[in-house]
Structures are given as C-alpha cells and as structure tokens.
C-alpha cells in the first residue's frame, strides 16, 4: 500500500502524542501497524514489551498482529518478536494484570454479558435487587446490570451515593467474588484500584513506553481512566478513531473522549486521514451529506479515493413489507447475474428481528445467504433439533427423536443416537459433555455434508449456550438445568445474544444479512438498507423504567449521557452507508409509518435517486399512509438531535395541533407501558403468556388502546 502524505505523517510521528482522526475506509489499520514497526525500528531502546496496542475486538487484534509482523519483517526478516507485544482488548489486558499482579484475582473466572445475566437471575436476593424495588424478572435483571455499570463508572464519587446504592453495589460485588467470578465492568474497576496499591503493577505499567488505542471513539469512561493511568506512568499515546462512527453508546461509549482529546493530553499532534479508499464518490457524498446534520462532532470532510468507480444509489418505496423483500430479492438476482458475487452483497437491518422475513424470501428463490442474527440462529432447524433432544434427555421418546433427526443423519446413526440419549437419564455429567459425545455419536459433523459450515456453526452455538448456563447453574439437577435452559431460550436468549455472532468467520458464496452493529468494520460491493421509516430507523423512543429512575440524584440529572439521540442513530446510518463500496439501495414502505428523516437528509446529495413525492406521505394516528392528507412534514423542525421524539413522521398544522398530538402520544405510551407490564408480569409467572407479551409489543396505537379496554386497564 502506497501511503498518502497524511498517512506518512502519522506513521513518522513517533515523538509526540498523536491523534489520528480517521474517516471510514481510510487505511487506519495499516497506518497504525507501520507506525509501531517504525517505533521498533528507529527507537533502539524500545523492545516489543514496551509497546501496547488496544483494539476493540479480538478479531481486530489478530488482524493487527499480522499487519505489524508484516511491517516489521519488511525491514528485517530477523526483526523483533512481535509475540512479546500486547495487542488485544482493554478487558483482556486487565485480566492479564489482575491474574499476574494480584493474589485475590489470580484464579478468577470472567463473566461476559450473558453469564452476568444468569448470575444476577440466580443470586437476585443475595445481591439486593429488592433494595431497589426490583423483582427477578427479565426486565429487572437487565435494569439491575445497567445500574451497577453506571455506579462503577461513578465509583470515584461513591461518597455522594445514597446509602442503599452503596449497599447494593457492595452486595453484588461481594457475591461475585464469593463465587469466584468477576464481570466486565469490575475487571477495569478492580485493575484501576489495584494500580494504586500494588508496586509490582505500577512497575510493569512504567515499562510501557508507547500506547496505541484503536477505535478510540468507542471507549467508555472507565476505559479512559485506565488509558490515562498508563499515560501518566510516562507512555506516549496514539489514538485512532472517528467520532462519527460512535455506535455503542448503549454500552457506555463516549465520543467526547475523541472530540476533546487534544484538551486532555499534552503535546498532541493531530493528523486527519480524510480520504476514503473504499467507497465511490457517490457513497461518500451521501454519507457526508447526512452526517453533517450532527451538531457536536470534529469538523472534517471525507473525500473519495475511488474517483473511477461508478455507482447506483437509489431510495425506493414499496407497497408492503412482502413487496420490499420480493423486490430486494429481485435486485439481488439481477446483481448476481451481472457478475457481482453473493458474498459481496449485504442487507443491513437496524433491528435483528426483521432478518428472518427476508431470509425466507431468499430461501424460496434459492439464493444462498448467511443471516448473522440471534433470532435467525434460534429459529434454525439444527438448533431446534438440539433443543428438542435436550428435552428428551429426561423423557426419552423414540418417535419424537426420529421425527427430529430424520433427513439430517442416516438411520443407523438415529438408532445409536437414541440409545445414547436414553442412557443419560442418570448420572451427574454436564450437558456440554453429554452433547459433545452425542454429536460424535450421530456423526453430525462428518465432512461429507454439503452444509458442514452451518452444522459447525449451529453445534458450536448450542454448546456455547449450554456452557454459559452451566457456568452459573452447573450444580443443579439435570431436569432443573434443562427446564432453566428451555425457559431462557423461550424468553431471553434472543435479546441476550443479539450482539453475539454465532457464525464462524468464513467467506462462502452467500448474501450477508446482519444488523448494522455487526457490520462495523466490514465492506461490501453492494449494500441494501431496508425499512427506512420513522420508528424503525431511527427507532422510536423506548419507554419503561430506566437506571436513573432507580438511582436518582446526579444519575437522573445526567441521564442524557447514555441515552441514544437522533445524532447517535445518524451515526449508525452513516456506518451502514459507508459499508458499501459501489452500490447503495435504500428502501421503505409507508403503510404504517412515515419516511425516515435520514432518507430526506440523504436526498440533498445529487447522487441519490429518490421520488420526492414520498416526502409528502404522512401517517395520521390510526390511519394508513397517504399523500397530501395533512400539510407537508416540516423536516427542519425535527433536526435537533436533543429532541428525541420530535419529527416522528407526523405532519403538523400549527403549534396547538402539535401539542395535542404529543399529549395524545404521551397518553398512549402510558397505556402501552401498563399493558406490557401486565403481560410481562404474567409471562414471568407463566411461560405461555410470553406470546401475548410479544404480540402486545407489536400492536399499533389503536390496537393497544382496544387491548387496554379489554383488560379493564382503562
């Protein structure tokens, strides 16, 4: 790769703190890798152990290691051993520090988000959920975890907390450690506290001379504290990121660290990598046109480095959801016929629950696809077979077993598989061990199968779910564990695993269907972004109890810090658009909701083909969309990023009409919350009520009011 002038500036700047403001597709990973190689080459007193590089994911770490090794060997085949350099996530770095420099956490086991959910569910009384007025239902477990995370971020101010908040926080922390666990939040907090007391740990950190932080826009406040600790011990720091691509605010990511970096660190040199080598001029222009609507951002201008590429960029309206899926499938077939491989085509959804419908349409057409979403995984054929087999462990039924596996494995393996299952009713084996041997017994993963990749994915995913559950509930009786897993899959699994990838990284000849969040860091020749309606992308504001309702005080005063805004959704749209190298197809159907503001904003780009008459389509409450039924929607009125909920696709005649409409929506929301609470409570006690709860979540305003009347709520 021949470097540009700015890329070379970044590579050669090894004597000052460096902030690399890198737009999408700007080659930042190559720049970071060459800069680290130059440090090792030019600084004779620096060895790999003196260099640390934080990445956002383990996958990114593997890529970085390969690039750095290539860059180092380019200058000298006998160069330094990169294996002695730490390259990985901040969480993994903290695990290393705690296990090597503290006695208390030497043998600690790490809880990820799913295992944390299981832990809170099991030990809800010991950790003091009732102190916060929370029961052990699904929603309260997630709310409890969110409250603990916010308190950990604010740990330095714990003297200002209410007594009950300190009590619950300490109870949860103590319960974790008593059972030999630590979660992601406490990994960083305990490392920060250990640095202040452990001289050996401080000595190790003093040996870090160069620190690089990739995807800096996605770090949270605790991670920033860790970074500053290292810098305060004398490390040169280089951060790389783009505040326009901060899409994990719900996890605590804070773009202000990127925006204010030069104010918080001394002797900072800024380098802008503003040439996008991935996207065509049209894609870049659409992305730039939209993201400039955000108010608080680093001033930058992205330019395309692929001037020779010609694009097709269009926004199209369809008559219904079914029509939208059919037309997308038609276009995919046309693109493939023109020479574009399936794996260079992606459909990016804002919400993973919509993926299955498009998948069914592609399957009917015989179009190969990979749907990387929790909902598609849990509805998959092989997963359902494993789950049914799990249920048969305590009540073997050969007819059901044969029906389950017939056509998937041969008859002789079906017989041997059932005999194996029947033998497992007694004994204290773990489910993971049982199913590992079961998979071998039925020869499920023999290499002769055409769909061996999918089989490996589904078997691995099922085993992951068993592992996660048994890490917390492993001491329970077999029947109790099976009931617990079935209940978890029925009620919680899709939500808890929604950001987990069940697919082993590969490049099969198949269309990629995934959420925008999972597409971060990927690129495709052609990208579809469907369902661009208000309330879908951007989504509507979610009601219900939040962490500031529980904690109150300063947490309520500063609640906007973690709450998603229209600006944050615009960043997500920007990320989705910039995954496309050449072609971009936006689509929407306006039967129930108005057109997304992002399409209207993108229409300011001369590259986008769109029917502007669709801008006049409005959705008065309770009616279908129609043109000119109300005066045109005032787009400018909705652009304030802090006014989430305004500009929801409705038209307004005047201020009084607007206030009346907002009051009506406020009342409907209150009724909706009561209906959902009614069914949510029922589902907690009776699993069969979960279907009613899910139906209620998808009801229109009119339907929810009718349901509330039927239940005598209003």
């Amino acid at each position: 790769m021949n470097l540009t002038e700015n890329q070379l500036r970044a590579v050669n700047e090894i004597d000052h703190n460096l902030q690399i403001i890198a737009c999408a597709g700007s080659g930042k990973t190559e720049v970071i890798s060459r800069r680290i190689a130059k440090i090792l080459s030019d600084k004779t007193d620096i060895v790999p152990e003196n260099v640390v590089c934080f990445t956002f994911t383990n996958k990114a770490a593997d890529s970085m290691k390969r690039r750095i090794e290539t860059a180092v060997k380019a200058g000298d085949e006998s160069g330094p051993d990169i294996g002695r350099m730490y390259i990985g996530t901040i969480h993994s770095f903290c695990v290393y520090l705690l296990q090597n420099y503290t006695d208390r956490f030497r043998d600690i086991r790490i809880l990820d988000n799913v295992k944390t959910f299981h832990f809170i569910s099991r030990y809800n009384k010991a950790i003091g959920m009732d102190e916060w007025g929370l029961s052990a239902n699904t929603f309260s477990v997630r709310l409890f975890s969110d409250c603990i995370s916010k308190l950990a971020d604010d740990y330095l101010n714990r003297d200002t907390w209410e007594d009950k908040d300190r009590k619950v926080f300490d109870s949860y922390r103590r319960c974790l450690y008593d059972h030999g666990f630590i979660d992601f939040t406490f990994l960083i907090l305990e490392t920060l506290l250990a640095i202040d007391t452990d001289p050996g740990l401080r000595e190790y950190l003093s040996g870090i001379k160069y620190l690089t932080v990739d995807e800096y826009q996605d770090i949270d406040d605790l991670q920033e504290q860790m970074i500053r600790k290292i810098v305060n011990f004398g490390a040169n720091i280089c951060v790389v990121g783009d505040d326009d691509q901060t899409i994990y605010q719900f996890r605590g990511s804070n773009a202000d660290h990127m925006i204010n970096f030069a104010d918080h660190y001394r002797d900072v040199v800024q380098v802008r990598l503003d040439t996008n080598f991935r996207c065509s001029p049209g894609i870049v222009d659409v992305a730039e046109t939209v993201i400039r609507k955000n108010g608080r951002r680093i001033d930058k201008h992205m330019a395309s480095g692929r001037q020779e590429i010609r694009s097709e960029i269009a926004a199209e309206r369809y008559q219904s959801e079914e029509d939208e899926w059919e037309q997308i499938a038609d276009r995919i077939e046309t693109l493939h016929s023109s020479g574009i491989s399936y794996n260079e085509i992606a459909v990016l959804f804002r919400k993973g629950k919509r993926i299955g419908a498009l998948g069914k349409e592609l399957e009917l057409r015989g179009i190969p696809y990979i749907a990387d979403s929790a909902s598609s995984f849990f509805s998959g054929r092989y997963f359902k077979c494993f789950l049914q087999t799990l249920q048969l462990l305590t009540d073997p039924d050969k007819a059901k077993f044969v029906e389950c596996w017939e056509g998937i494995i041969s008859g002789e393996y079906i017989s041997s598989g059932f005999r194996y299952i029947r033998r497992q009713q007694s004994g204290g084996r773990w489910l993971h061990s049982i199913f590992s041997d079961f998979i071998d017994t039925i020869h499920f993963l023999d290499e002769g199968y055409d769909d061996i990749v999918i089989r490996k994915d589904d078997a691995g995913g099922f085993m992951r779910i068993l592992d996660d559950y048994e890490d917390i509930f492993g001491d329970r009786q077999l029947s109790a564990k099976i009931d617990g897993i079935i209940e978890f899959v029925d009620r919680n699994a899709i939500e808890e695993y929604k950001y987990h990838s069940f697919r082993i990284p590969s490049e099969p000849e198949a269309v990629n269907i995934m959420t925008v969040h999972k597409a971060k860091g990927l690129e495709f020749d052609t990208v579809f972004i469907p369902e661009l309606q208000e309330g879908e992308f951007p989504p509507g504001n979610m009601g219900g109890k939040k962490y500031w309702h529980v904690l109150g005080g300063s947490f309520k005063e500063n609640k906007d810090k973690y709450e998603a805004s229209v600006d944050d959704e615009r960043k997500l749209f920007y990320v989705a658009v910039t995954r496309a190298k050449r072609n971009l197809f936006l689509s929407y159907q306006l039967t129930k909701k108005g057109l997304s503001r992002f399409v209207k904003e993108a229409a300011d780009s001369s590259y986008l083909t769109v029917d502007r008459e669709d801008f006049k389509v409005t959705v008065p409450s309770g009616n279908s969309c129609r043109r000119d039924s109300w005066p045109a929607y005032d787009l400018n009125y909705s652009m304030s990023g802090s006014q989430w909920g305004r500009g929801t696709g409705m038209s307004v005649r005047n201020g009084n009409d607007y206030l009346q409409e907002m009051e009506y929506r406020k009342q409907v929301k209150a009724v909706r919350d009561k209906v959902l609470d009614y069914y949510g409570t029922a589902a907690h006690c009776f699993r069969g009520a979960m279907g009613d709860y899910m139906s209620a979540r998808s009801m229109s305003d009119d339907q929810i009011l009718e349901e509330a009347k039927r239940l005598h709520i209003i």
Side-chain angles (χ1 to χ4, degrees):
M1 175 178 173
N2 295 321
L3 301 184
T4 66
E5 181 179 345
N6 279 356
Q7 288 173 330
L8 279 171
R9 279 186 60 211
V11 168
N12 293 326
E13 183 49 79
I14 61 176
D15 294 320
H16 300 86
N17 290 329
L18 177 63
Q19 181 183 27
I20 303 175
I21 302 167
C23 72
S26 60
K28 66 181 179 63
T29 306
E30 182 72 12
V31 170
I32 298 171
S33 304
R34 293 204 193 183
R35 181 177 185 269
I36 291 175
K38 184 171 181 60
I39 290 169
L40 295 174
S41 171
D42 290 11
K43 300 288 185 178
T44 56
D45 58 332
I46 299 297
V47 294
E49 293 92 329
N50 301 137
V51 180
V52 167
C53 181
F54 290 149
T55 59
F56 193 65
T57 64
N58 291 325
K59 180 181 177 182
D62 292 339
S63 174
M64 189 76 71
K65 289 174 185 176
R66 291 193 299 270
R67 287 175 180 262
I68 292 174
E69 188 165 19
T70 299
V72 168
K73 299 300 183 185
D76 182 2
E77 280 295 329
S78 61
D81 180 10
I82 302 304
R84 294 183 293 149
M85 180 189 304
Y86 179 82
I87 305 173
T89 66
I90 296 181
H91 288 103
S92 296
F93 184 70
C94 289
V95 171
Y96 170 78
L97 296 182
L98 290 176
Q99 291 182 340
N100 286 276
Y101 291 94
T102 69
D103 293 327
R104 183 180 186 185
F105 299 107
R106 196 172 301 280
D107 298 316
I108 203 79
R109 290 177 290 167
I110 315 299
L111 297 182
D112 62 13
N113 292 334
V114 176
K115 292 177 184 177
T116 298
F117 177 90
H118 289 318
F119 183 88
I120 295 172
S121 298
R122 176 166 187 176
Y123 299 106
N124 63 88
K125 294 187 182 299
I127 60 181
M129 285 184 69
D130 55 343
E131 291 282 342
W132 279 342
L134 301 176
S135 57
N137 62 54
T138 297
F139 312 102
S140 293
V141 168
R142 293 174 186 142
L143 179 56
F144 179 89
S145 180
D146 198 20
C147 290
I148 292 295
S149 175
K150 300 304 183 292
L151 288 172
D153 281 350
D154 194 56
Y155 186 81
L156 295 179
N157 300 313
R158 63 177 283 131
D159 290 342
T160 66
W161 299 352
E162 294 186 12
D163 290 341
K164 67 174 181 178
D165 296 339
R166 277 195 298 273
K167 180 180 178 181
V168 174
F169 184 85
D170 291 340
S171 294
Y172 175 68
R173 189 181 182 189
R174 183 169 55 252
C175 189
L176 273 176
Y177 302 157
D178 286 348
H179 289 88
F181 295 119
I182 189 170
D183 66 15
F184 278 1
T185 295
F186 283 95
L187 270 178
I188 298 178
L189 178 60
E190 294 296 353
T191 304
L192 288 169
L193 297 176
I195 291 172
D196 293 333
T197 59
D198 191 294
L201 184 51
R202 292 198 297 274
E203 181 180 357
Y204 170 78
L205 295 179
S206 297
I208 300 174
K209 302 304 179 183
Y210 282 90
L211 172 65
T212 299
V213 186
D214 192 17
E215 303 290 0
Y216 184 66
Q217 78 279 349
D218 286 324
I219 66 162
D220 60 31
D221 292 349
L222 270 181
Q223 292 168 342
E224 172 64 11
Q225 290 182 44
M226 185 69 198
I227 290 166
R228 291 193 191 188
K229 286 275 190 183
I230 296 173
V231 173
N232 289 340
F233 278 107
N236 169 283
I237 181 171
C238 167
V239 300
V240 189
D242 178 7
D243 56 302
D244 290 334
Q245 298 187 66
T246 307
I247 62 172
Y248 295 104
Q249 188 184 43
F250 59 92
R251 292 180 180 174
S253 297
N254 188 346
D256 283 349
H257 298 308
M258 184 72 190
I259 295 172
N260 300 323
F261 179 80
D263 298 327
H264 294 158
Y265 291 87
R266 297 180 299 173
D267 195 23
V268 172
V269 172
Q270 285 185 335
V271 177
R272 281 172 164 76
L273 304 183
D274 49 13
T275 301
N276 182 321
F277 297 99
R278 172 195 305 151
C279 306
S280 69
I283 301 295
V284 167
D285 192 67
V286 169
E288 275 277 287
T289 298
V290 174
I291 201 63
R292 281 199 297 266
K293 301 293 184 182
N294 276 0
R296 180 167 173 73
R297 60 189 291 263
I298 297 174
D299 185 35
K300 64 182 86 71
H301 177 72
M302 179 170 59
S304 173
R306 306 293 302 277
Q307 294 296 322
E308 77 284 359
I309 297 182
R310 294 295 174 263
S311 301
E312 186 175 359
I313 305 174
E316 298 179 343
R317 177 188 179 186
Y318 299 118
Q319 298 304 311
S320 65
E321 290 183 13
E322 294 77 13
D323 184 39
E324 188 168 11
W325 312 142
E326 290 173 5
Q327 296 295 329
I328 288 175
D330 284 346
R331 179 158 265 154
I332 289 174
E333 288 179 331
T334 301
L335 290 166
H336 184 64
S337 298
S338 71
I340 299 176
S341 61
Y342 284 131
N343 61 327
E344 277 292 334
I345 300 173
V347 187
L348 307 183
F349 283 82
R350 175 60 182 87
K351 301 176 181 178
K353 64 182 180 180
R354 304 293 195 183
I355 289 175
L358 175 60
K360 290 179 181 178
E361 180 63 32
L362 297 185
E363 192 169 348
L364 287 173
R365 306 286 189 99
I367 299 173
Y369 71 93
I370 294 178
D372 192 2
S373 75
S375 58
S376 64
F377 174 80
F378 288 112
S379 63
R381 180 186 183 189
Y382 296 143
F383 175 80
K384 289 180 177 178
C385 288
F386 283 126
L387 196 65
Q388 186 172 346
T389 304
L390 177 69
Q391 294 172 292
L392 293 175
L393 280 176
T394 54
D395 186 18
D397 184 316
K398 188 169 184 179
K400 290 182 179 179
F401 186 85
V402 171
E403 181 183 2
C404 176
W405 291 101
E406 197 168 26
I408 298 176
I409 56 178
S410 68
E412 61 178 307
Y413 297 147
I414 289 178
S415 297
S416 58
F418 181 71
R419 288 195 298 270
Y420 172 85
I421 288 297
R422 194 168 50 190
R423 294 196 300 268
Q424 306 308 314
Q425 294 182 69
S426 59
R429 295 179 66 194
W430 280 45
L431 289 169
H432 182 282
S433 176
I434 291 174
F435 272 87
S436 178
D437 289 344
F438 172 71
I439 288 170
D440 290 340
T441 300
I442 65 174
H443 293 255
F444 180 73
L445 297 180
D446 283 2
E447 290 296 333
Y449 291 113
D450 293 337
D451 60 351
I452 187 63
V453 173
I454 295 175
R455 287 172 176 252
K456 288 180 178 179
D457 287 348
D458 286 7
F462 183 74
M463 299 293 271
R464 160 74 189 266
I465 291 162
L466 297 182
D467 278 342
D468 288 346
Y469 189 85
E470 288 194 298
D471 270 358
I472 307 301
F473 295 100
D475 58 338
R476 289 189 169 179
Q477 293 295 319
L478 179 65
S479 59
K481 286 194 289 188
I482 291 173
D483 288 344
I485 291 171
I486 299 298
E487 181 180 10
F488 173 72
V489 170
D490 283 349
R491 297 178 55 183
N492 310 121
I494 290 178
E495 179 66 23
E496 293 306 311
Y497 283 104
K498 67 181 179 180
Y499 296 112
H500 172 73
S501 178
F502 286 102
R503 298 302 173 205
I504 299 171
S506 60
E507 294 186 0
E509 177 62 8
V511 175
N512 296 271
I513 313 177
M514 65 187 74
T515 62
V516 182
H517 283 99
K518 287 188 176 180
K520 180 77 179 290
L522 303 179
E523 59 183 48
F524 306 92
D525 176 270
T526 300
V527 167
F528 293 82
I529 309 176
E531 296 202 308
L532 284 166
Q533 300 96 233
E534 289 288 317
E536 296 294 340
F537 200 167
N541 193 17
M542 294 295 292
K545 200 172 186 180
K546 302 293 179 67
Y547 73 89
W548 66 81
H549 295 132
V550 176
L551 301 177
S554 62
F555 295 97
K556 187 172 184 179
E557 295 171 6
N558 299 315
K559 63 182 181 180
D560 290 343
K561 178 178 179 181
Y562 295 104
E563 285 304 287
S565 67
V566 173
D567 281 12
D568 295 311
E569 287 296 317
R570 191 174 284 111
K571 292 176 182 180
L572 193 60
F573 182 78
Y574 172 85
V575 167
V577 168
T578 53
R579 298 313 93 193
K581 292 186 284 188
R582 191 162 62 94
N583 300 320
L584 175 68
F585 299 106
L586 314 178
S587 61
Y588 48 90
Q589 31 83 22
L590 305 181
T591 55
K592 299 177 182 178
K593 298 177 180 179
L595 181 61
S596 169
R597 68 194 71 192
F598 301 148
V599 177
K600 297 176 181 180
E601 294 168 6
D604 288 340
S605 169
S606 61
Y607 288 90
L608 179 67
T609 302
V610 60
D611 184 355
R612 291 180 175 270
E613 287 297 305
D614 289 347
F615 295 6
K616 301 177 183 179
V617 176
T618 57
V619 197
S621 179
N623 295 317
S624 297
C625 278
R626 58 186 186 272
R627 285 178 177 160
D628 302 320
S629 57
W630 286 12
Y633 168 70
D634 182 359
L635 180 64
N636 293 327
Y637 185 73
S638 70
M639 288 302 101
S640 172
S642 62
Q643 300 299 314
W644 181 264
R646 294 186 180 179
T648 52
M650 62 183 179
S651 296
V652 292
R653 286 190 175 89
N654 54 52
N656 289 332
D657 287 342
Y658 173 76
L659 293 175
Q660 290 172 6
E661 178 71 16
M662 293 305 292
E663 180 60 29
Y664 171 77
R665 288 177 180 271
K666 180 180 179 182
Q667 293 174 8
V668 171
K669 178 183 177 302
V671 172
R672 185 182 296 277
D673 288 345
K674 290 182 179 180
V675 172
L676 293 180
D677 183 64
Y678 175 89
Y679 281 122
T681 302
H684 176 60
C685 301
F686 176 57
R687 189 188 310 167
M690 180 53 65
D692 293 329
Y693 171 77
M694 297 305 295
S695 296
R697 286 189 63 176
S698 62
M699 287 181 180
S700 67
D701 289 353
D702 289 346
Q703 289 172 329
I704 206 73
L705 292 174
E706 287 300 318
E707 186 70 4
K709 291 177 183 178
R710 190 181 69 81
L711 297 172
H712 303 291
I713 290 175
I714 59 173

